[in-house]
Amino acid sequence: MKYEAVIGLEVHVQIKTQSKMFTRVGAGYGQPANTLTDPVVLALPGVLPVMNKAALDAIIKAGLLLGCDIAPVCKWDRKNYFYPDSPKNYQISQYDQPICLNGAVEIELPGSARNIQGEHKSIALTRIHLEEDVGKLNHEAFDSLVDYNRAGTPLMEIVSEPVIKSAEEAYACLTSLRATIIYGGISDCDMEKGQLRCDANISIRPVGETKLGTKVELKNLNSISFVRDGIAHEIKRQIAVVESGGTIVQETRDYDGMTGTSQSLRSKEMAHDYRYFPDPDLMPVKVDVAWKARIQAECPELPFAKQTRFQSDYGLPYTLTSVLVWDKALADYFEEAAKLAGPGKAQAVGNWIVNDLQRELGAAKLDLGDSKVRPAHIAELVNLIAAGTLLSNAAKEVFIDMAATGETPSAIVAKKGLAVAPTDTAELEGWCRDAIAANAKSVAEFKAGKESAINGLKGPIMKASKGKANPKLVDETLRRLLSIS
Amino acid sequence: MSHAAMSSELFNKTIVELAELLAAKTITSVELTQAVIDRTQSVEERVKAFNSFDAAAALAQAAASDARRAAGQSLGALDGIPIGIKDVIAVTGQPLTASSKMLANFVSPYDATVTQKLKKAGAIIWGRLNLDEFAMGSSTENSAFHTTRNPYNLDCVPGGSSGGSAAALAAGEAIATLGSDTGGSIRQPAALCNVVGLKPTYGLVSRFGLIAFASSLDQIGPFNRTVEDAAITLQAIAGYDENDSTSVKVEIPDYRAALKTKKGPWRIGISKEYFGEGLDPEVAAAVEKAVSFYEKMGCVIKNVSLPHTEYGVGVYYIIATAECSSNLSRYDGIRYGHRSADAKDIVDLYYKSRAEGFGPEVKRRIILGTYVLSSGYYDAYYLRAQKVRTLIRQDFLNAYNEVDAIITPTTPTPAFKRGAKADPLAMYLCDVYTIGVNLAGLPGISVPCGFSSSGLPIGMQLIGQPFKEADLLAIANAYDSAHDWAKRTPNL
């Protein structure tokens, strides 16, 4: 029997704000334990929450970027459960009226080849709601320590409909979602820092069946490739269970990306009754049309729209756009360089960025912003080549120097004497005549009709010119001299 | 009896009287504060109103007040006046226990907003006053530490939950006090102890720094010897606070000035729902005499209908317990508060710490509240209670189309004997006349209006319109300034 998978994602994203969700103390990562706390974070007797408006702005932006309906009112509920990482033993969250409803993540499935655009698909979202993050437990040998630095950090929970069909689709969905959120400046989505965390609900059913199978929740998918691998593993596991005559148990499983295995954390019987009710400490906040319009005005162009535009406006091939548009900084860098370089140079600019610059950044482990190569450098480099002043091989050398020193291409060309020979042909003609005189055999072969024999003459000329001779001029001059000799 | 003699004592004077003496430099704040400390040390063994007090800290504040005054920088009527604080309101560096074993050793690292405001007004932040544990009760018998006595009869309760606040003021152990009122916890003990108790409109006074019992009902308010003192104290603590999202941005009028400018006559409502079965005839008679007073001064007395009154207690014990079950979750023995010494794992730690740290009434309410919020019961209890709550509020708002205020007894009976109400339900009915005000979010004030034949105080309640404390205080003051029940101090 053939099976198909049905997958829904639950993605938690920390919102990048100065302060926490319901108090003024700073939000951040990597600080000494329990230094990002105050009476509100620690839930001391008598404290009250006050909503961080910047966090609400950010989630509205996420909702608008993902095409969600924005609720007219932001309402707060309490989710009650006891756990030491939750200082109040309830989490302020949104239950029956999430701030964002519906919406979708646009994804691109892998194409038939690397240079061919894949099929686009829309993954429907159920909701996005705002809540507060919990602290962190550090388990020692005989006791557990709690660090409340993370507690109270604004957190949005994005829930997809169960419409994802494969691990690849889930991977594409998360990639696109992450790019959208980073584009919006909503979060850095660094999974290593826990800024983005993903759980997946996975079930299988025979192809053709319309009823959903029993779902298993997979947790701790703490890198994007673990999401893909974990889901693929879970689908295989479920098929194996069913095919060997077993039944799927509704449970939560923990995926270990290092070993590629999963184990059961808890079964459905242990599910909580969270006793949700409206938080009486927080008034509902009205989100009016003007508010939404203000946020809408801050919404950037998203990767897929940018890709289409880069293809049509700059004539870039798919392979270049598929690298450039997923990193907003890189895409912005490209546009700046392309504009500075002028019309008709965009593809050359794109090639330098995608190939040489990316490689340089990778080798030096640099962020784009830290590179000494600026968009103006790339534009100038491309123009020197186009003008025939600089040859490709020499240009590579210029680039490496530029990355190390941050000097302009023309300064490096001058410093290293890399400019091609002047178009004044006297010197060039001299080199050509010397080559013809010294290579009788090649001359004879060429005159006998062996076209490639002319290359035998070019080598010595380039050597004599120390690589500065313009190959096009060399070729023309040689042919002219050979035809009259 | 030596009432007259005692009234001349500094510790029995009003804020208004003392402010004049301080301003005239007839007395200093240090002398006044010392008189209150001495009085406390002489009667506290019998009254047991305090959980703790810090005489040195109070005297240091008093010295600072005197220095301000000497420099011509007095902060106003409250500057130098010792005010006792219910032990659910945070004061930096002082214990904050909620009269619970759970917080027996907790010291607050921060000030409540009202504490800050009183300090800014120059008040001397005086001792920590006893209450029913976590403000749950009507007699202070639920305090984990000790039961406060009614100064007018030491065998009787002072009411609750702010029993310590009412008893301390009545006994001359403070010049004013703060309490909190969730279902009557200021007004009921005020009535039982012959003092004025004001519960402001929900949202007028910041709750930041008030240990939460039921967030949508809790409100801080003052206990005073006169309505005029209440106006002065309210002035200092009222106002929007950015730390409390439920506090409301409203213009704060000059309450004390309003007592003189607002002269009536008013339209005063009486509701039969507040004069029914269970009302002690002596209480009824005293309130009816107060009604006659208003009638004689030219007020129009009108019957108003509050048909949903009978559901008040039921609705209250669903909403209040639901909220408290969640609010009290934070007391888990992890970060602060009582932690069981012999827990073997995290679940055991929760069970044992909370079982040992909370008293029976608190546990009863947490269990009830947890139940009404449970999946499958939420709609039938909590949601329905919220709907009835809206109807109760609507009853009042309808009545206010016809009247300016409503007059009721504060309590069905005068103070009862300690241990007399062992049945929790009987205790809950002590608040039958005060609960509706909290559910509707309205201001209510209890004003002394007589004594029973056995010498126990009786209070009447005036219920006002939202954020119209100025009118409510003026109406209450018309009666209060014409009577001197509060001058009848207890014989301790």
Side-chain angles (χ1 to χ4, degrees), chain B residues 32 80 93 113 119 127 138 196 234 240 264 276 292 298 347 362 402 447 469:
Chain B
L32 169 60
T113 299
K119 284 179 176 175
S138 306
V196 173
L234 180 65
Y240 171 74
S292 308
V347 175
V362 172
E402 300 176 52
V447 180
E469 273 76 3

Side-chain angles (χ1 to χ4, degrees), chain B residues 266-270 294 299-302 403-407 475:
Chain B
W266 298 282
R267 301 165 302 165
I268 295 186
I270 302 183
Y294 281 113
C299 293
V300 177
I301 309 297
K302 288 190 84 164
V403 297
D404 302 304
I406 296 165
I407 188 168
I475 297 169

Side-chain angles (χ1 to χ4, degrees), chain B residues 146-445:
Chain B
H146 51 257
T147 300
T148 297
R149 316 297 173 86
N150 190 313
Y152 288 87
N153 181 336
L154 296 174
D155 293 331
C156 287
V157 301
S161 66
S162 312
S165 301
L169 180 61
E173 298 175 278
I175 305 304
T177 59
L178 290 190
S180 66
D181 189 318
T182 307
S185 283
I186 290 174
R187 291 156 290 155
Q188 185 256 14
L192 269 43
C193 292
N194 196 36
V195 293
V196 173
L198 171 66
K199 191 223 70 109
T201 306
Y202 185 80
L204 183 71
V205 177
S206 170
R207 294 187 295 115
F208 184 79
L210 166 67
I211 290 184
F213 159 18
S215 312
S216 74
L217 299 160
D218 296 342
Q219 191 68 185
I220 293 171
F223 286 87
N224 298 92
R225 297 194 167 117
T226 62
V227 171
E228 190 173 10
D229 278 8
I232 293 167
T233 314
L234 180 65
Q235 196 78 48
I237 62 172
Y240 171 74
D241 175 17
E242 60 179 9
N243 287 327
D244 176 1
S245 309
T246 62
S247 81
V248 178
K249 278 181 186 154
V250 286
E251 185 95 13
I252 305 298
D254 185 334
Y255 294 117
R256 193 177 174 189
L259 303 183
K260 303 206 165 60
T261 55
K262 293 180 185 281
K263 291 191 174 121
W266 298 282
R267 301 165 302 165
I268 295 186
I270 302 183
S271 168
K272 65 172 173 9
E273 287 85 359
Y274 283 76
F275 289 88
E277 200 185 327
L279 178 59
D280 181 287
E282 285 188 309
V283 174
V287 176
E288 276 154 18
K289 270 186 88 173
V291 173
S292 308
F293 168 84
Y294 281 113
E295 203 167 10
K296 274 180 210 144
M297 73 169 277
C299 293
V300 177
I301 309 297
K302 288 190 84 164
N303 284 312
V304 292
S305 173
L306 301 167
H308 295 95
T309 299
E310 62 172 309
Y311 305 112
V313 174
V315 164
Y316 175 86
Y317 278 95
I318 289 170
I319 292 171
T321 58
E323 291 179 7
C324 97
S325 74
S326 177
N327 283 335
L328 271 62
S329 296
R330 68 188 58 195
Y331 308 111
D332 58 6
I334 302 283
R335 298 167 315 290
Y336 57 83
H338 177 75
R339 180 189 287 194
S340 178
D342 60 347
K344 59 182 192 297
D345 57 32
I346 183 65
V347 175
D348 200 38
L349 179 74
Y350 287 146
Y351 280 139
K352 290 205 171 106
S353 300
R354 288 166 66 81
E356 294 162 9
F358 291 138
E361 183 60 28
V362 172
K363 286 178 191 161
R364 181 178 298 118
R365 296 196 193 191
I366 290 173
I367 290 167
L368 186 55
T370 303
Y371 177 78
V372 300
L373 287 177
S374 300
S375 165
Y377 296 97
Y378 178 85
D379 288 1
Y381 292 109
Y382 189 77
L383 204 60
R384 183 165 301 182
Q386 288 291 10
K387 287 175 182 167
V388 178
R389 180 179 185 176
T390 305
L391 295 174
I392 290 171
R393 179 173 168 85
Q394 201 53 53
D395 278 357
F396 280 104
L397 297 183
N398 290 344
Y400 288 130
N401 290 328
E402 300 176 52
V403 297
D404 302 304
I406 296 165
I407 188 168
T408 78
T410 307
T411 59
T413 67
F416 45 91
K417 292 265 165 64
R418 273 181 287 129
K421 295 190 194 280
D423 172 15
L425 267 179
M427 190 69 88
Y428 295 172
L429 290 172
C430 294
D431 295 331
V432 65
Y433 300 142
T434 46
I435 272 174
V437 171
N438 299 79
L439 290 170
L442 302 170
I445 188 167

Side-chain angles (χ1 to χ4, degrees), chain A residues 348 352 378-392 395-396:
Chain A
W352 277 104
I378 303 269
E380 191 183 339
L381 188 66
V382 165
N383 273 313
L384 285 173
I385 298 164
T389 314
L390 189 62
L391 301 174
S392 318
K396 301 267 176 205

Side-chain angles (χ1 to χ4, degrees), chain A residues 42-350:
Chain A
L42 295 175
L44 296 190
V47 296
L48 294 171
V50 175
M51 189 192 77
N52 180 344
K53 201 157 155 278
L56 183 53
D57 280 351
I59 196 171
I60 291 171
K61 194 180 203 180
L64 291 172
L65 287 172
L66 293 163
C68 301
D69 303 322
I70 309 298
V73 162
C74 175
K75 179 207 164 205
W76 297 104
D77 299 289
R78 290 187 185 177
K79 178 181 182 179
N80 294 284
Y81 66 96
F82 277 80
Y83 204 66
D85 63 6
S86 169
K88 301 184 291 297
N89 287 313
Y90 63 80
Q91 182 188 29
I92 305 176
S93 182
Q94 298 187 298
Y95 178 51
D96 56 346
Q97 293 177 41
I99 184 71
C100 305
L101 273 172
N102 305 318
V105 181
E106 187 180 358
I107 65 166
E108 179 186 343
L109 296 174
S112 56
R114 243 197 45 151
N115 57 348
I116 294 175
Q117 186 153 347
E119 183 198 344
H120 277 224
K121 208 179 153 179
S122 180
I123 303 297
L125 295 179
T126 312
R127 59 186 282 166
I128 310 177
H129 72 252
L130 194 49
E131 58 189 27
E132 51 178 347
D133 209 343
V134 293
K136 233 176 174 169
L137 288 184
N138 298 307
H139 299 288
E140 311 274 318
F142 294 103
D143 49 15
S144 296
L145 301 173
V146 202
D147 177 3
Y148 292 106
N149 280 354
R150 194 177 71 177
T153 302
L155 193 66
M156 58 180 184
E157 182 177 325
I158 303 160
V159 183
S160 88
E161 290 283 286
V163 291
I164 297 168
K165 297 289 179 210
S166 67
E168 283 301 332
E169 278 191 23
Y171 178 82
C173 180
L174 204 56
T175 307
S176 173
L177 185 63
R178 185 174 63 169
T180 303
I181 292 163
I182 294 173
Y183 256 71
I186 295 158
S187 172
D188 294 335
C189 293
D190 186 335
M191 289 182 87
E192 268 180 34
K193 294 179 181 169
Q195 292 166 350
L196 186 150
R197 315 195 278 273
C198 181
D199 303 333
N201 287 303
I202 303 157
S203 64
I204 58 161
R205 62 186 173 192
V207 172
E209 172 65 60
T210 51
K211 242 176 64 191
L212 289 170
T214 303
K215 71 173 177 187
V216 169
E217 185 184 23
L218 204 56
K219 278 197 176 294
N220 280 335
L221 303 168
N222 44 23
S223 84
I224 290 206
S225 41
F226 285 177
V227 173
R228 179 174 51 194
D229 301 347
I231 292 172
H233 173 268
E234 178 59 20
I235 294 169
K236 265 191 222 149
R237 189 192 69 85
Q238 290 189 17
I239 292 174
V241 168
V242 172
E243 286 193 331
S244 64
T247 49
I248 306 297
V249 186
Q250 184 168 344
E251 62 183 341
T252 299
R253 297 182 72 86
D254 183 39
Y255 179 71
D256 182 344
M258 302 316 285
T259 60
T261 57
S262 69
Q263 56 173 1
S264 185
L265 277 180
R266 58 177 175 266
S267 66
K268 192 201 173 192
E269 287 71 43
M270 292 162 74
H272 288 288
D273 176 357
Y274 290 119
R275 291 173 285 118
Y276 281 101
F277 76 109
D279 192 326
D281 286 332
L282 290 159
M283 294 284 109
V285 178
K286 250 190 208 158
V287 180
D288 59 14
V289 176
W291 190 336
K292 277 186 274 185
R294 177 171 64 76
I295 305 290
Q296 186 74 64
E298 296 169 8
C299 284
E301 178 185 43
L302 289 181
F304 286 125
K306 207 180 270 297
Q307 186 166 36
T308 307
R309 187 167 61 81
F310 279 11
Q311 286 170 340
S312 63
D313 288 11
Y314 296 103
L316 292 192
Y318 169 76
T319 41
L320 280 183
T321 60
S322 67
V323 176
L324 289 175
V325 301
W326 292 102
D327 180 341
K328 185 168 185 290
L330 196 65
D332 290 347
Y333 185 100
F334 160 77
E335 284 216 85
E336 191 182 341
K339 279 178 184 144
L340 289 168
K345 314 264 171 47
Q347 184 162 347
V349 166

